[in-house]
Amino acid sequence: MPKFLHSVKLEQDKCLGCTNCIKRCPTEAIRVRDGKATIISERCIDCGECIRICPHKAKRASYDKFEIINDYKYKIALPAPALFGQFDNLDDIDLVLTGLIEIGFDSVFEVSRAAEIISEVTRRFFAERHKDGRRPGEHPIISTACPAVVRLISVRFPYLSDYLLPILAPVELAARIARAEAKKKHPELSDEDIGVFFITPCPAKVSYIREPIGVDSTAITGALPITDIYLRLISVMPHIKKSLPLSRSGVIGISWATTGGEAAALLHEKYLAADGIENVIRVLDEIENENFSGLDFIELNACSGGCVGGALTMENPYIAKARLQQLRKFLPFSQNTIEVDGEGEEHIEWSRQIEENRAMRFSDDKKTAIEMRVKMNNIAKSLPGLDCGSCGAPSCRALAEDIVRGEAYETDCIFRMKEKIQEIFRSIADIEHINLDK
Ligand code: SF4
Ligand code: SF4
């Protein structure tokens, strides 16, 4: 399995082995061994849950340093729509976009613009799909805008891979259009001269740039966190006398920042939108069990509230959402269509399907996998079933899995350890008793 360049990192010297994080990880990717957490790299989907929960700040997201933009002759900022929800009383997106120019970018391209194009392409995708009427047994399509959800599916729900919407994420399309526009405007620039930087709300999108989904390579150069850019912007925005007329986003694009925005943009009522990793898992379980009939589209966001709830944002997601609702009052419905892109729909589709992540499989050999699973189930039954986490695994079943994989011992369970010690004492006592009787 290829090594994945994760954006979520563990600083082991800060870890106190408290086990708070192990139960929150949706892919059971964390273990505490010898008093320190470790992340099973192949399983981590960079959702950022462990960053939020760690009380000792031992987990952090890695991203680019702002100064990296200076390595490029022409610097483009791609602000996520969640950025606009960070500012109090903002009634003009142009103020934020002008601020981005003030802090050093040469141009800006709002990701919400590309989101409006993706919404249109998705509407056409559904119109095409249902051209001859809905077919019996037709499954719903799952959004692919949240990379943590797509990776979660590849790790825990590989059978749902065929349900994924095979269309570019808005940030990828934004980067492609912004690059093309820059080259048109400045023909003297080469691709290497242009730096395209996503202002990201979450670590999962940093990982997307390092390991793109659905495409072989990305047009994005790097990722800068909203937390960093926000602090730079608030120092320049109060001094902007007149903002530049840069924004070309509408309600449709800005709404993608919060849960339900992408689904509502389909102008279609047969959808479900859920957020928060635990709810996402519940919905995926239900889809796998075919409990959702009659739905066309499922929008899933790993973070509560949607992208406004990302681990790299400043503001409470519900406050950010309320601010975006206010801001939408000043915007037109939509300002971007596929014609703006001019490249045609085929360039907006995935060029590569996602592969199953085999990290949770026991073996590619079916017989071996079944044997190991039976063994795991038997060991799990013999454990106390308290899921206390004191063994360093998130549940008794996870410890049983680790034992079968040869990565843990039954005596890692403190209850089993206690039983073993009692057995040893009993044996010693028996021996002494025999000796005493002699
Ligand atoms: S939450 Fe996890 S990473 Fe943080 S201190 Fe506890 S065990 Fe270590
Ligand atoms: S980022 Fe998410 S998947 Fe990765 S270790 Fe943390 S909680 Fe688990």
Side-chain angles (χ1 to χ4, degrees):
M1 200 177 301
K3 270 277 174 213
F4 181 67
L5 298 166
H6 290 286
S7 60
V8 172
K9 306 275 182 214
L10 168 71
E11 292 184 25
Q12 273 207 335
D13 51 332
K14 290 188 183 165
C15 173
L16 300 186
C18 67
T19 73
N20 274 319
C21 56
I22 58 174
K23 284 178 187 288
R24 285 294 282 267
C25 176
T27 54
E28 297 187 337
I30 311 173
R31 299 290 185 272
V32 173
R33 300 271 185 255
D34 300 324
K36 298 280 181 193
T38 54
I39 298 178
I40 304 166
S41 166
E42 294 78 10
R43 288 189 181 193
C44 174
I45 57 170
D46 290 295
C47 63
E49 283 293 305
C50 55
I51 296 179
R52 287 192 192 93
I53 195 73
C54 177
H56 306 291
K57 309 243 176 294
K59 299 269 178 45
R60 62 172 178 83
S62 71
Y63 37 75
D64 291 306
K65 288 204 162 55
F66 183 75
E67 292 65 34
I68 193 182
I69 72 168
N70 299 324
D71 294 349
Y72 297 85
K73 282 189 188 156
Y74 193 80
K75 314 149 187 60
I76 305 172
L78 305 179
L83 176 68
F84 309 128
Q86 310 301 306
F87 304 93
D88 205 8
N89 294 322
L90 182 74
D91 57 12
D92 183 8
I93 290 175
D94 279 334
L95 185 60
V96 177
L97 302 185
T98 308
L100 289 169
I101 302 291
E102 289 285 319
I103 64 172
F105 290 99
D106 296 299
S107 75
V108 291
F109 191 100
E110 303 146 271
V111 175
S112 42
R113 289 185 57 190
E116 293 186 356
I117 298 172
I118 299 293
S119 291
E120 186 189 346
V121 174
T122 312
R123 285 195 293 271
R124 290 189 192 185
F125 172 92
F126 279 106
E128 193 61 35
R129 197 167 182 246
H130 298 327
K131 208 159 58 185
D132 308 318
R134 198 183 162 92
R135 283 173 287 282
E138 202 165 62
H139 59 70
I141 294 293
I142 304 171
S143 158
T144 46
C146 175
V149 169
V150 177
R151 293 210 156 98
L152 175 68
I153 289 172
S154 78
V155 176
R156 270 187 71 166
F157 301 91
Y159 300 116
L160 297 181
S161 299
D162 291 344
Y163 290 36
L164 292 168
L165 182 70
I167 290 177
L168 294 187
V171 66
E172 187 61 52
L173 180 62
R176 288 185 184 188
I177 302 174
R179 259 186 196 280
E181 282 184 1
K183 283 205 256 182
K184 210 165 161 186
K185 204 166 154 197
H186 302 282
E188 73 284 4
L189 293 176
S190 70
D191 244 339
E192 290 69 39
D193 292 332
I194 303 170
V196 182
F197 296 94
F198 180 40
I199 318 286
T200 181
C202 73
K205 287 184 171 157
V206 181
S207 304
Y208 168 88
I209 298 166
R210 296 173 183 174
E211 191 85 17
I213 292 170
V215 287
D216 291 318
S217 62
T218 177
I220 311 163
T221 311
L224 305 167
I226 283 184
T227 40
D228 177 13
I229 296 298
Y230 171 84
L231 295 174
R232 292 171 193 272
L233 285 173
I234 50 164
S235 67
V236 298
M237 280 166 56
H239 309 294
I240 296 172
K241 299 236 162 26
K242 194 169 184 307
S243 12
L244 303 166
L246 298 170
S247 176
R248 284 182 55 198
S249 286
V251 171
I252 289 276
I254 294 296
S255 300
W256 274 61
T258 54
T259 304
E262 178 190 2
L266 299 183
L267 313 175
H268 194 321
E269 72 286 359
K270 290 179 183 166
Y271 72 81
L272 176 155
D275 59 19
I277 201 77
E278 282 167 18
N279 292 330
V280 166
I281 290 169
R282 266 184 230 133
V283 170
L284 291 172
D285 272 332
E286 294 293 331
I287 301 173
E288 205 166 53
N289 295 332
E290 297 183 5
N291 283 344
F292 286 135
S293 59
L295 287 178
D296 277 339
F297 186 67
I298 313 268
E299 179 194 321
L300 299 173
N301 294 283
C303 297
S304 292
C307 292
V308 286
L312 299 177
T313 57
M314 294 295 291
E315 195 47 274
N316 171 300
Y318 300 100
I319 292 177
K321 185 177 179 185
R323 288 177 179 165
L324 289 173
Q325 269 160 8
Q326 288 289 319
L327 187 58
R328 288 193 312 207
K329 285 195 306 197
F330 305 100
L331 300 176
F333 185 63
S334 176
Q335 299 206 61
N336 299 274
T337 67
I338 182 91
E339 281 72 33
V340 172
D341 166 49
E343 282 203 60
E345 276 176 60
E346 65 277 15
H347 297 287
I348 297 178
E349 287 168 10
W350 277 3
S351 52
R352 186 161 62 89
Q353 290 302 309
I354 68 151
E355 287 168 22
E356 177 189 345
N357 178 323
R358 296 174 134 78
M360 286 182 108
R361 276 199 188 191
F362 276 123
S363 167
D364 285 343
D365 176 57
K366 218 172 167 184
K367 188 166 168 275
T368 312
I370 292 171
E371 282 168 5
M372 290 173 86
R373 188 158 293 279
V374 170
K375 212 169 161 193
M376 177 190 78
N377 289 338
N378 289 337
I379 295 172
K381 270 189 225 151
S382 74
L383 293 170
L386 295 173
D387 295 339
C388 63
S390 42
C391 59
S395 63
C396 295
R397 201 202 50 79
L399 176 64
E401 183 186 335
D402 291 351
I403 295 167
V404 172
R405 289 184 190 277
E407 290 158 6
Y409 303 98
E410 281 193 42
T411 46
D412 286 338
C413 166
I414 52 164
F415 297 93
R416 295 308 297 271
M417 171 67 101
K418 208 169 139 196
E419 282 167 20
K420 283 268 179 239
I421 292 169
Q422 281 169 348
E423 263 174 42
I424 293 166
F425 276 136
R426 268 197 299 269
S427 312
I428 293 169
D430 282 351
I431 293 164
E432 283 179 352
H433 183 69
I434 291 163
N435 284 343
L436 283 173
D437 281 354
K438 270 185 182 175

